[in-house]
Amino acid sequence: MGAGGLIRAYGAAARQVLREAPVDVLVPKTTFQVSVMSENVGAIYDVSSKVGGSTSGEVYGADGSLTVRITCNLDDGERLRTNLIDATRGSVQFLDD
């Protein structure tokens, strides 16, 4: 097989592999940690789920507080923060990781 034939054969093989290869869509995420008192625990979970966020690492304090990590799409991070502030009437605390 000559150079032209090899180029066509390799090109066809590469096209076939690319057609059949799985496609992974990577979505940038952001994670932050918040703390609220018990009367606002429901608001944290409600707002997080409405914006498509997920919660993890829940720690309940002896005083009834909740510290939780929230992960969401990077594009939704500011909206989630604003909605958390609104839903808790400003009592949510954003903690440094």
Side-chain angles (χ1 to χ4, degrees):
M1 186 178 293
L6 286 174
I7 290 171
R8 284 189 295 280
Y10 287 133
R15 279 189 296 282
Q16 186 66 26
V17 167
L18 291 174
R19 262 189 239 117
E20 295 178 12
V23 175
D24 291 332
V25 177
L26 301 178
V27 178
K29 303 277 185 180
T30 185
T31 300
F32 49 91
Q33 196 167 27
V34 300
S35 179
V36 294
M37 294 306 294
S38 59
E39 63 268 13
N40 291 310
V41 168
I44 296 297
Y45 290 109
D46 185 49
V47 170
S48 295
S49 68
K50 285 182 180 176
V51 179
S54 63
T55 58
S56 63
E58 290 90 349
V59 177
Y60 289 90
D63 61 352
S65 65
L66 167 70
T67 301
V68 62
R69 202 167 23 261
I70 303 172
T71 301
C72 67
N73 291 347
L74 185 61
D75 291 343
D76 297 326
E78 279 306 310
R79 182 170 56 120
L80 179 55
R81 285 177 183 262
T82 301
N83 290 354
L84 288 171
I85 292 167
D86 291 346
T88 63
R89 294 171 302 288
S91 67
V92 66
Q93 294 179 341
F94 295 92
L95 308 174
D96 295 330
D97 287 334

